[in-house]
Amino acid sequence: MITDAQWEQLQRAAEDIMAKAYAPYSRFKVGVAGLMDDGRIVVGCNVENAAYGIGLCAECGMVSAIHASGGGKLVAITCVDQHGNSLMPCGRCRQLLWENGKPDTQITTPEGTLTLKDILPQAFGPEDLETRKEL
Ligand code: THU
């Protein structure tokens, strides 16, 4: 379990990075912060593009930052909208978070703290590639 102080740190980090989002098309800024299993905090913001369909969600940036800064697994995540309110990751991003977290990784939601397993039940993951591979 993470401490209240750590949740507050995640909230601040998510709000700070949200302010740096590049979202001129949707005008919907998103920031996300994750606490890693080695204690470091990684962040990401959404980055849109004039070719609308190739915009990057905040979580994509965070996942890239995880690997760029040494890898590891997410222990806790906070994703916020432009008001700093808790925002649920889109479906694609839940899958990204799943592969870079653990089933019991905590995530803040408008309905309180849940786990990745709660928000992506029966997830597809790397094990499926092994267990279902043709011999
Ligand atoms: N967005 C994210 O960054 N993460 C999500 O999980 C939901 C949506 C962004 C994508 C787009 O730039 C903007 O929010 C509006 O959809």
Side-chain angles (χ1 to χ4, degrees), residues 44-68:
C45 59
N46 55 333
V47 178
E48 298 182 348
N49 193 281
Y52 298 159
I54 66 166
L56 302 174
C57 281
E59 295 88 337
C60 297
M62 182 180 74
V63 165
S64 182
I66 287 172
H67 291 274

Side-chain angles (χ1 to χ4, degrees), residues 23 26 28 30 46-48 56-59 79 87-90 93:
S26 71
F28 192 90
V30 180
N46 55 333
V47 178
E48 298 182 348
L56 302 174
C57 281
E59 295 88 337
C79 183
L87 180 76
M88 291 305 288
C90 73
C93 288

